[in-house]
Amino acid sequence: MSFDANSANAQWRTRPADQCFPSIDAALAQADHRMHHSASKVLASRSLSADVDIGQLVIKGPSGVPALPTHWAFGQLCSRIDAPADYLRTLPAEMTADCLNYGLKVTRESMDLGVSLYKNGGPAELHSVTGPNYGRIWDARVWQALREVFGDGLTGKYKNPALIARPDSFDPSNVRDTTFYQSDRDMWCMVASAENTVNVPNRRDGKTGQLFTGFAFGNSDVGGRRLWMARF
């Protein structure tokens, strides 16, 4: 996969604080918890229905148990029935439910859908709506592999680039100092090495800068992207 500085900057610029983790271990713990509290199954689209529960849109399966769709899963469901997700998000929940039910049960023939549910003691969450043959690679499995190769991302040869560039001012609790991201739709990680650096003259304010070598990784276990790796 192609990879450049803009890709890393976009992650740093757009990730909210709750998606930023100080270490590979911390991101792994969150992803592992979600994996072990999730269940996947294949259901017929006409066995699904939309409803409103305490003012919130919910999706029900054959059992009738409601699940709150994430922003991502809602978009996936709408895509499966050719419904305009952005527009439906602007409507009252009752109208959105009616539109979804019309698409699920009237305008489309029944199709098999792969759904994943996250249960953590509270209301279930619908995390993905994919095709029935979706080959899921759990984010937690990727983090575990990274942990085995790179450690916690703060020690060893490969680590958070901010720690290499600014060892005296690096603050692992600062979300702007991390390159480990985990959300309900994807994960992203970058590690670098201080070995074999390339000096760049006049990089900024006439001062010499350095380029580090390293790796970047990304994945989505809810159908947002494929597993990828890039070397820089």
Side-chain angles (χ1 to χ4, degrees), residues 145-204:
L146 295 177
R147 180 65 176 84
E148 293 171 1
V149 175
F150 301 115
D152 61 4
L154 301 176
T155 58
K157 179 180 178 180
Y158 287 94
K159 60 190 72 174
N160 182 335
L163 178 57
I164 301 173
R166 297 181 284 98
D168 296 332
S169 61
F170 175 76
D171 179 4
S173 65
N174 183 352
V175 296
R176 291 305 179 196
D177 271 358
T178 190
T179 53
F180 311 123
Y181 307 106
Q182 173 68 45
S183 74
D184 62 358
R185 70 182 66 177
D186 70 342
M187 57 82 59
W188 197 94
C189 168
M190 182 170 67
V191 291
S193 170
E195 299 180 11
N196 302 318
T197 59
V198 178
N199 291 324
V200 182
N202 299 319
R203 180 171 182 267
R204 184 177 300 158

Tab-separated table of all heavy atoms in Angstrom, residues 145-204:
chain	number	residue	atom	x	y	z
A	145	ALA	N	-0.401	-9.294	17.210
A	145	ALA	CA	0.769	-9.560	16.375
A	145	ALA	C	1.787	-8.431	16.488
A	145	ALA	O	3.005	-8.671	16.571
A	145	ALA	CB	0.343	-9.760	14.923
A	146	LEU	N	1.300	-7.180	16.501
A	146	LEU	CA	2.203	-6.043	16.658
A	146	LEU	C	2.882	-6.071	18.025
A	146	LEU	O	4.076	-5.736	18.148
A	146	LEU	CB	1.429	-4.732	16.490
A	146	LEU	CG	0.824	-4.474	15.103
A	146	LEU	CD1	0.018	-3.190	15.104
A	146	LEU	CD2	1.912	-4.409	14.043
A	147	ARG	N	2.144	-6.478	19.035
A	147	ARG	CA	2.722	-6.575	20.389
A	147	ARG	C	3.847	-7.597	20.424
A	147	ARG	O	4.892	-7.375	21.061
A	147	ARG	CB	1.621	-6.961	21.391
A	147	ARG	CG	2.114	-7.100	22.844
A	147	ARG	CD	2.578	-5.774	23.363
A	147	ARG	NE	2.971	-5.804	24.763
A	147	ARG	CZ	4.170	-6.173	25.210
A	147	ARG	NH1	5.095	-6.584	24.351
A	147	ARG	NH2	4.466	-6.127	26.492
A	148	GLU	N	3.656	-8.706	19.730
A	148	GLU	CA	4.670	-9.754	19.721
A	148	GLU	C	5.932	-9.325	18.978
A	148	GLU	O	7.038	-9.754	19.316
A	148	GLU	CB	4.086	-11.021	19.097
A	148	GLU	CG	2.976	-11.646	19.938
A	148	GLU	CD	2.260	-12.779	19.216
A	148	GLU	OE1	2.655	-13.084	18.064
A	148	GLU	OE2	1.314	-13.352	19.802
A	149	VAL	N	5.765	-8.468	17.961
A	149	VAL	CA	6.913	-8.045	17.150
A	149	VAL	C	7.579	-6.794	17.725
A	149	VAL	O	8.816	-6.710	17.812
A	149	VAL	CB	6.471	-7.775	15.694
A	149	VAL	CG1	7.627	-7.213	14.880
A	149	VAL	CG2	5.965	-9.069	15.055
A	150	PHE	N	6.768	-5.802	18.122
A	150	PHE	CA	7.312	-4.499	18.500
A	150	PHE	C	7.238	-4.200	19.993
A	150	PHE	O	7.702	-3.149	20.419
A	150	PHE	CB	6.584	-3.387	17.736
A	150	PHE	CG	6.683	-3.498	16.247
A	150	PHE	CD1	5.555	-3.725	15.466
A	150	PHE	CD2	7.910	-3.393	15.607
A	150	PHE	CE1	5.648	-3.828	14.083
A	150	PHE	CE2	8.015	-3.495	14.233
A	150	PHE	CZ	6.883	-3.721	13.472
A	151	GLY	N	6.661	-5.070	20.771
A	151	GLY	CA	6.510	-4.781	22.189
A	151	GLY	C	5.411	-3.766	22.432
A	151	GLY	O	4.411	-3.723	21.715
A	152	ASP	N	5.603	-2.920	23.444
A	152	ASP	CA	4.536	-1.978	23.815
A	152	ASP	C	4.540	-0.703	22.978
A	152	ASP	O	3.681	0.155	23.140
A	152	ASP	CB	4.622	-1.624	25.298
A	152	ASP	CG	5.949	-0.959	25.670
A	152	ASP	OD1	6.767	-0.700	24.767
A	152	ASP	OD2	6.162	-0.714	26.873
A	153	GLY	N	5.519	-0.558	22.066
A	153	GLY	CA	5.592	0.639	21.236
A	153	GLY	C	6.264	1.812	21.910
A	153	GLY	O	6.363	2.899	21.329
A	154	LEU	N	6.744	1.614	23.136
A	154	LEU	CA	7.417	2.679	23.877
A	154	LEU	C	8.866	2.330	24.200
A	154	LEU	O	9.637	3.202	24.606
A	154	LEU	CB	6.669	2.970	25.183
A	154	LEU	CG	5.206	3.410	25.040
A	154	LEU	CD1	4.568	3.573	26.411
A	154	LEU	CD2	5.104	4.697	24.246
A	155	THR	N	9.206	1.066	24.058
A	155	THR	CA	10.562	0.604	24.320
A	155	THR	C	11.000	-0.267	23.146
A	155	THR	O	10.200	-0.632	22.298
A	155	THR	CB	10.632	-0.198	25.625
A	155	THR	OG1	9.727	-1.312	25.539
A	155	THR	CG2	10.239	0.656	26.817
A	156	GLY	N	12.264	-0.624	23.107
A	156	GLY	CA	12.749	-1.474	22.033
A	156	GLY	C	13.173	-0.675	20.821
A	156	GLY	O	13.199	0.563	20.825
A	157	LYS	N	13.476	-1.375	19.737
A	157	LYS	CA	13.984	-0.733	18.525
A	157	LYS	C	12.931	0.118	17.837
A	157	LYS	O	13.200	1.247	17.403
A	157	LYS	CB	14.511	-1.791	17.564
A	157	LYS	CG	15.047	-1.225	16.240
A	157	LYS	CD	15.561	-2.333	15.334
A	157	LYS	CE	16.060	-1.761	13.998
A	157	LYS	NZ	16.565	-2.824	13.089
A	158	TYR	N	11.723	-0.407	17.682
A	158	TYR	CA	10.643	0.327	17.005
A	158	TYR	C	9.656	0.843	18.045
A	158	TYR	O	9.187	0.100	18.902
A	158	TYR	CB	9.931	-0.576	16.001
A	158	TYR	CG	10.760	-0.853	14.771
A	158	TYR	CD1	11.561	-1.987	14.685
A	158	TYR	CD2	10.750	0.025	13.690
A	158	TYR	CE1	12.331	-2.247	13.558
A	158	TYR	CE2	11.513	-0.217	12.559
A	158	TYR	CZ	12.301	-1.356	12.496
A	158	TYR	OH	13.058	-1.595	11.381
A	159	LYS	N	9.319	2.122	17.934
A	159	LYS	CA	8.461	2.729	18.941
A	159	LYS	C	7.719	3.926	18.336
A	159	LYS	O	7.893	4.253	17.160
A	159	LYS	CB	9.282	3.182	20.139
A	159	LYS	CG	10.346	4.217	19.799
A	159	LYS	CD	11.305	4.464	20.965
A	159	LYS	CE	12.240	3.288	21.164
A	159	LYS	NZ	13.278	3.530	22.182
A	160	ASN	N	6.908	4.557	19.148
A	160	ASN	CA	6.189	5.759	18.758
A	160	ASN	C	7.189	6.799	18.237
A	160	ASN	O	8.127	7.166	18.944
A	160	ASN	CB	5.466	6.291	19.990
A	160	ASN	CG	4.630	7.527	19.717
A	160	ASN	OD1	4.894	8.283	18.779
A	160	ASN	ND2	3.624	7.741	20.547
A	161	PRO	N	7.016	7.294	16.996
A	161	PRO	CA	7.967	8.274	16.450
A	161	PRO	C	8.120	9.525	17.302
A	161	PRO	O	9.203	10.118	17.353
A	161	PRO	CB	7.377	8.603	15.077
A	161	PRO	CG	6.548	7.422	14.720
A	161	PRO	CD	5.997	6.913	16.016
A	162	ALA	N	7.070	9.958	17.988
A	162	ALA	CA	7.170	11.155	18.825
A	162	ALA	C	8.154	10.954	19.967
A	162	ALA	O	8.836	11.886	20.390
A	162	ALA	CB	5.795	11.524	19.376
A	163	LEU	N	8.235	9.729	20.457
A	163	LEU	CA	9.172	9.425	21.535
A	163	LEU	C	10.610	9.526	21.048
A	163	LEU	O	11.507	9.938	21.797
A	163	LEU	CB	8.888	8.026	22.078
A	163	LEU	CG	9.807	7.491	23.186
A	163	LEU	CD1	9.809	8.435	24.377
A	163	LEU	CD2	9.362	6.097	23.606
A	164	ILE	N	10.851	9.180	19.779
A	164	ILE	CA	12.191	9.278	19.207
A	164	ILE	C	12.542	10.732	18.921
A	164	ILE	O	13.642	11.199	19.215
A	164	ILE	CB	12.282	8.447	17.909
A	164	ILE	CG1	11.959	6.981	18.190
A	164	ILE	CG2	13.655	8.580	17.275
A	164	ILE	CD1	11.867	6.128	16.934
A	165	ALA	N	11.604	11.463	18.359
A	165	ALA	CA	11.874	12.841	17.941
A	165	ALA	C	11.982	13.791	19.120
A	165	ALA	O	12.773	14.751	19.084
A	165	ALA	CB	10.783	13.306	16.983
A	166	ARG	N	11.185	13.575	20.177
A	166	ARG	CA	11.154	14.503	21.309
A	166	ARG	C	11.209	13.739	22.628
A	166	ARG	O	10.250	13.747	23.412
A	166	ARG	CB	9.898	15.358	21.249
A	166	ARG	CG	9.807	16.262	20.035
A	166	ARG	CD	8.559	17.113	20.009
A	166	ARG	NE	7.379	16.333	19.636
A	166	ARG	CZ	6.505	15.824	20.484
A	166	ARG	NH1	6.665	15.990	21.780
A	166	ARG	NH2	5.464	15.138	20.068
A	167	PRO	N	12.304	13.038	22.887
A	167	PRO	CA	12.369	12.209	24.102
A	167	PRO	C	12.237	13.005	25.392
A	167	PRO	O	11.731	12.481	26.397
A	167	PRO	CB	13.750	11.539	23.993
A	167	PRO	CG	14.550	12.440	23.109
A	167	PRO	CD	13.562	12.998	22.121
A	168	ASP	N	12.677	14.265	25.399
A	168	ASP	CA	12.636	15.052	26.634
A	168	ASP	C	11.255	15.622	26.934
A	168	ASP	O	10.907	15.842	28.097
A	168	ASP	CB	13.650	16.202	26.552
A	168	ASP	CG	15.083	15.705	26.470
A	168	ASP	OD1	15.348	14.600	26.985
A	168	ASP	OD2	15.922	16.399	25.871
A	169	SER	N	10.464	15.866	25.887
A	169	SER	CA	9.146	16.469	26.098
A	169	SER	C	7.994	15.493	25.821
A	169	SER	O	6.830	15.861	25.954
A	169	SER	CB	8.977	17.703	25.202
A	169	SER	OG	9.075	17.337	23.824
A	170	PHE	N	8.310	14.265	25.452
A	170	PHE	CA	7.269	13.286	25.118
A	170	PHE	C	6.395	12.999	26.334
A	170	PHE	O	6.890	12.765	27.438
A	170	PHE	CB	7.911	11.992	24.620
A	170	PHE	CG	6.918	10.882	24.376
A	170	PHE	CD1	6.102	10.895	23.257
A	170	PHE	CD2	6.799	9.830	25.271
A	170	PHE	CE1	5.192	9.875	23.024
A	170	PHE	CE2	5.890	8.809	25.050
A	170	PHE	CZ	5.087	8.831	23.924
A	171	ASP	N	5.096	13.004	26.117
A	171	ASP	CA	4.126	12.744	27.183
A	171	ASP	C	3.151	11.683	26.690
A	171	ASP	O	2.273	11.966	25.875
A	171	ASP	CB	3.372	14.027	27.540
A	171	ASP	CG	2.338	13.807	28.639
A	171	ASP	OD1	2.261	12.680	29.177
A	171	ASP	OD2	1.599	14.762	28.950
A	172	PRO	N	3.261	10.434	27.159
A	172	PRO	CA	2.391	9.367	26.657
A	172	PRO	C	0.913	9.589	26.946
A	172	PRO	O	0.053	9.007	26.290
A	172	PRO	CB	2.910	8.121	27.393
A	172	PRO	CG	3.604	8.642	28.602
A	172	PRO	CD	4.197	9.967	28.186
A	173	SER	N	0.604	10.459	27.916
A	173	SER	CA	-0.801	10.730	28.222
A	173	SER	C	-1.403	11.788	27.300
A	173	SER	O	-2.616	12.003	27.298
A	173	SER	CB	-0.945	11.186	29.672
A	173	SER	OG	-0.292	12.433	29.886
A	174	ASN	N	-0.557	12.453	26.519
A	174	ASN	CA	-1.024	13.474	25.584
A	174	ASN	C	-1.492	12.796	24.307
A	174	ASN	O	-0.710	12.137	23.617
A	174	ASN	CB	0.108	14.460	25.282
A	174	ASN	CG	-0.327	15.597	24.366
A	174	ASN	OD1	-1.434	15.594	23.827
A	174	ASN	ND2	0.544	16.568	24.188
A	175	VAL	N	-2.765	12.959	23.951
A	175	VAL	CA	-3.310	12.265	22.780
A	175	VAL	C	-2.637	12.720	21.492
A	175	VAL	O	-2.674	12.017	20.482
A	175	VAL	CB	-4.833	12.458	22.672
A	175	VAL	CG1	-5.537	11.824	23.859
A	175	VAL	CG2	-5.201	13.935	22.557
A	176	ARG	N	-2.018	13.906	21.516
A	176	ARG	CA	-1.330	14.404	20.328
A	176	ARG	C	0.075	13.829	20.196
A	176	ARG	O	0.782	14.139	19.244
A	176	ARG	CB	-1.270	15.927	20.354
A	176	ARG	CG	-2.623	16.582	20.173
A	176	ARG	CD	-3.291	16.102	18.907
A	176	ARG	NE	-4.603	16.687	18.698
A	176	ARG	CZ	-5.494	16.221	17.847
A	176	ARG	NH1	-5.205	15.153	17.122
A	176	ARG	NH2	-6.667	16.788	17.702
A	177	ASP	N	0.483	13.016	21.161
A	177	ASP	CA	1.810	12.412	21.102
A	177	ASP	C	1.744	10.925	20.753
A	177	ASP	O	2.729	10.214	20.911
A	177	ASP	CB	2.534	12.584	22.447
A	177	ASP	CG	3.326	13.878	22.505
A	177	ASP	OD1	3.341	14.610	21.509
A	177	ASP	OD2	3.925	14.155	23.556
A	178	THR	N	0.605	10.452	20.295
A	178	THR	CA	0.479	9.017	20.030
A	178	THR	C	0.350	8.714	18.547
A	178	THR	O	-0.030	9.580	17.749
A	178	THR	CB	-0.730	8.422	20.774
A	178	THR	OG1	-0.688	6.986	20.681
A	178	THR	CG2	-2.040	8.905	20.149
A	179	THR	N	0.698	7.498	18.178
A	179	THR	CA	0.461	7.002	16.817
A	179	THR	C	-0.256	5.653	16.882
A	179	THR	O	-0.133	4.833	15.982
A	179	THR	CB	1.786	6.850	16.043
A	179	THR	OG1	2.703	6.051	16.819
A	179	THR	CG2	2.418	8.198	15.757
A	180	PHE	N	-1.007	5.434	17.950
A	180	PHE	CA	-1.766	4.192	18.136
A	180	PHE	C	-3.246	4.548	18.268
A	180	PHE	O	-3.654	5.171	19.248
A	180	PHE	CB	-1.281	3.449	19.384
A	180	PHE	CG	0.222	3.301	19.457
A	180	PHE	CD1	0.926	3.784	20.546
A	180	PHE	CD2	0.916	2.696	18.420
A	180	PHE	CE1	2.311	3.667	20.609
A	180	PHE	CE2	2.306	2.571	18.473
A	180	PHE	CZ	3.001	3.058	19.574
A	181	TYR	N	-4.039	4.147	17.274
A	181	TYR	CA	-5.443	4.542	17.223
A	181	TYR	C	-6.344	3.315	17.094
A	181	TYR	O	-6.066	2.403	16.321
A	181	TYR	CB	-5.692	5.477	16.041
A	181	TYR	CG	-4.776	6.675	16.001
A	181	TYR	CD1	-3.743	6.757	15.075
A	181	TYR	CD2	-4.942	7.723	16.904
A	181	TYR	CE1	-2.893	7.861	15.044
A	181	TYR	CE2	-4.100	8.832	16.881
A	181	TYR	CZ	-3.073	8.888	15.945
A	181	TYR	OH	-2.233	9.971	15.917
A	182	GLN	N	-7.429	3.315	17.858
A	182	GLN	CA	-8.399	2.228	17.826
A	182	GLN	C	-9.792	2.820	17.969
A	182	GLN	O	-10.042	3.622	18.877
A	182	GLN	CB	-8.141	1.235	18.964
A	182	GLN	CG	-9.199	0.156	19.123
A	182	GLN	CD	-9.221	-0.820	17.960
A	182	GLN	OE1	-8.162	-1.266	17.523
A	182	GLN	NE2	-10.385	-1.145	17.456
A	183	SER	N	-10.711	2.441	17.063
A	183	SER	CA	-12.083	2.938	17.142
A	183	SER	C	-13.039	1.775	16.934
A	183	SER	O	-12.626	0.620	16.820
A	183	SER	CB	-12.321	4.012	16.075
A	183	SER	OG	-12.417	3.429	14.786
A	184	ASP	N	-14.335	2.081	16.855
A	184	ASP	CA	-15.313	1.030	16.616
A	184	ASP	C	-15.361	0.625	15.145
A	184	ASP	O	-16.123	-0.265	14.776
A	184	ASP	CB	-16.700	1.459	17.082
A	184	ASP	CG	-17.230	2.680	16.325
A	184	ASP	OD1	-16.504	3.213	15.455
A	184	ASP	OD2	-18.365	3.103	16.596
A	185	ARG	N	-14.554	1.278	14.302
A	185	ARG	CA	-14.578	0.934	12.875
A	185	ARG	C	-13.215	0.577	12.293
A	185	ARG	O	-13.150	0.007	11.206
A	185	ARG	CB	-15.180	2.068	12.059
A	185	ARG	CG	-14.323	3.313	11.960
A	185	ARG	CD	-15.008	4.402	11.171
A	185	ARG	NE	-16.192	4.896	11.837
A	185	ARG	CZ	-16.941	5.882	11.382
A	185	ARG	NH1	-16.618	6.467	10.239
A	185	ARG	NH2	-17.995	6.294	12.044
A	186	ASP	N	-12.102	0.916	12.996
A	186	ASP	CA	-10.791	0.590	12.439
A	186	ASP	C	-9.694	0.752	13.478
A	186	ASP	O	-9.935	1.209	14.600
A	186	ASP	CB	-10.472	1.469	11.223
A	186	ASP	CG	-10.214	2.929	11.580
A	186	ASP	OD1	-10.608	3.353	12.687
A	186	ASP	OD2	-9.619	3.650	10.757
A	187	MET	N	-8.477	0.331	13.090
A	187	MET	CA	-7.301	0.579	13.895
A	187	MET	C	-6.189	1.092	12.978
A	187	MET	O	-6.226	0.877	11.760
A	187	MET	CB	-6.835	-0.682	14.627
A	187	MET	CG	-6.529	-1.890	13.751
A	187	MET	SD	-4.895	-1.943	12.943
A	187	MET	CE	-3.782	-1.883	14.333
A	188	TRP	N	-5.231	1.817	13.567
A	188	TRP	CA	-4.123	2.385	12.794
A	188	TRP	C	-2.926	2.509	13.721
A	188	TRP	O	-3.073	2.917	14.881
A	188	TRP	CB	-4.520	3.753	12.252
A	188	TRP	CG	-3.666	4.282	11.127
A	188	TRP	CD1	-3.897	4.149	9.798
A	188	TRP	CD2	-2.462	5.050	11.241
A	188	TRP	NE1	-2.913	4.781	9.069
A	188	TRP	CE2	-2.019	5.343	9.931
A	188	TRP	CE3	-1.712	5.525	12.321
A	188	TRP	CZ2	-0.862	6.087	9.679
A	188	TRP	CZ3	-0.565	6.256	12.069
A	188	TRP	CH2	-0.153	6.530	10.755
A	189	CYS	N	-1.753	2.156	13.218
A	189	CYS	CA	-0.569	2.162	14.057
A	189	CYS	C	0.653	2.533	13.232
A	189	CYS	O	0.770	2.131	12.065
A	189	CYS	CB	-0.373	0.771	14.681
A	189	CYS	SG	1.221	0.501	15.482
A	190	MET	N	1.570	3.298	13.831
A	190	MET	CA	2.841	3.598	13.180
A	190	MET	C	3.958	3.521	14.212
A	190	MET	O	3.829	4.057	15.314
A	190	MET	CB	2.820	4.983	12.543
A	190	MET	CG	4.101	5.329	11.794
A	190	MET	SD	3.972	6.854	10.803
A	190	MET	CE	3.793	8.093	12.097
A	191	VAL	N	5.025	2.821	13.853
A	191	VAL	CA	6.213	2.736	14.709
A	191	VAL	C	7.437	3.058	13.866
A	191	VAL	O	7.448	2.833	12.660
A	191	VAL	CB	6.368	1.341	15.350
A	191	VAL	CG1	5.284	1.098	16.384
A	191	VAL	CG2	6.355	0.243	14.290
A	192	ALA	N	8.456	3.602	14.501
A	192	ALA	CA	9.666	3.998	13.778
A	192	ALA	C	10.896	3.583	14.568
A	192	ALA	O	10.831	3.276	15.761
A	192	ALA	CB	9.666	5.504	13.533
A	193	SER	N	12.024	3.607	13.883
A	193	SER	CA	13.306	3.261	14.496
A	193	SER	C	14.274	4.431	14.352
A	193	SER	O	14.302	5.108	13.322
A	193	SER	CB	13.899	2.019	13.830
A	193	SER	OG	15.236	1.813	14.251
A	194	ALA	N	15.088	4.651	15.396
A	194	ALA	CA	16.097	5.708	15.357
A	194	ALA	C	17.362	5.249	14.650
A	194	ALA	O	18.284	6.044	14.447
A	194	ALA	CB	16.424	6.176	16.768
A	195	GLU	N	17.419	3.969	14.289
A	195	GLU	CA	18.574	3.458	13.567
A	195	GLU	C	18.446	3.782	12.073
A	195	GLU	O	17.340	3.866	11.535
A	195	GLU	CB	18.698	1.951	13.771
A	195	GLU	CG	18.901	1.546	15.225
A	195	GLU	CD	19.025	0.043	15.388
A	195	GLU	OE1	19.154	-0.662	14.361
A	195	GLU	OE2	18.972	-0.427	16.544
A	196	ASN	N	19.579	3.935	11.411
A	196	ASN	CA	19.612	4.184	9.960
A	196	ASN	C	18.791	5.406	9.563
A	196	ASN	O	18.032	5.385	8.587
A	196	ASN	CB	19.117	2.948	9.189
A	196	ASN	CG	19.941	1.713	9.494
A	196	ASN	OD1	21.153	1.777	9.578
A	196	ASN	ND2	19.259	0.587	9.662
A	197	THR	N	18.901	6.486	10.328
A	197	THR	CA	18.178	7.715	9.996
A	197	THR	C	18.844	8.429	8.822
A	197	THR	O	20.018	8.212	8.523
A	197	THR	CB	18.137	8.663	11.202
A	197	THR	OG1	19.485	8.969	11.600
A	197	THR	CG2	17.380	8.046	12.357
A	198	VAL	N	18.070	9.258	8.162
A	198	VAL	CA	18.564	10.042	7.033
A	198	VAL	C	18.521	11.515	7.425
A	198	VAL	O	17.461	12.035	7.794
A	198	VAL	CB	17.696	9.810	5.777
A	198	VAL	CG1	18.190	10.683	4.627
A	198	VAL	CG2	17.711	8.344	5.383
A	199	ASN	N	19.667	12.195	7.378
A	199	ASN	CA	19.727	13.621	7.704
A	199	ASN	C	19.284	14.457	6.513
A	199	ASN	O	19.706	14.219	5.380
A	199	ASN	CB	21.145	14.009	8.112
A	199	ASN	CG	21.544	13.405	9.449
A	199	ASN	OD1	20.717	13.290	10.351
A	199	ASN	ND2	22.802	13.011	9.577
A	200	VAL	N	18.427	15.434	6.776
A	200	VAL	CA	17.899	16.303	5.721
A	200	VAL	C	18.314	17.744	6.038
A	200	VAL	O	17.811	18.346	7.001
A	200	VAL	CB	16.365	16.206	5.638
A	200	VAL	CG1	15.839	17.079	4.509
A	200	VAL	CG2	15.933	14.764	5.438
A	201	PRO	N	19.238	18.340	5.256
A	201	PRO	CA	19.677	19.712	5.525
A	201	PRO	C	18.576	20.727	5.232
A	201	PRO	O	17.736	20.532	4.357
A	201	PRO	CB	20.864	19.891	4.576
A	201	PRO	CG	20.609	18.920	3.463
A	201	PRO	CD	19.933	17.745	4.096
A	202	ASN	N	18.573	21.803	5.999
A	202	ASN	CA	17.628	22.910	5.797
A	202	ASN	C	16.169	22.438	5.793
A	202	ASN	O	15.362	22.889	4.983
A	202	ASN	CB	17.936	23.648	4.491
A	202	ASN	CG	19.331	24.241	4.492
A	202	ASN	OD1	19.783	24.784	5.494
A	202	ASN	ND2	20.014	24.110	3.362
A	203	ARG	N	15.869	21.550	6.679
A	203	ARG	CA	14.493	21.027	6.696
A	203	ARG	C	13.507	22.053	7.246
A	203	ARG	O	12.425	22.222	6.736
A	203	ARG	CB	14.430	19.748	7.535
A	203	ARG	CG	13.026	19.150	7.594
A	203	ARG	CD	13.029	17.789	8.239
A	203	ARG	NE	11.693	17.222	8.232
A	203	ARG	CZ	10.829	17.350	9.247
A	203	ARG	NH1	11.180	18.020	10.325
A	203	ARG	NH2	9.621	16.820	9.179
A	204	ARG	N	13.912	22.750	8.297
A	204	ARG	CA	13.008	23.738	8.893
A	204	ARG	C	13.837	24.813	9.583
A	204	ARG	O	14.696	24.508	10.409
A	204	ARG	CB	12.072	23.061	9.898
A	204	ARG	CG	11.021	23.975	10.501
A	204	ARG	CD	10.108	23.203	11.427
A	204	ARG	NE	9.418	22.135	10.726
A	204	ARG	CZ	8.905	21.069	11.349
A	204	ARG	NH1	9.039	20.926	12.653
A	204	ARG	NH2	8.276	20.142	10.651
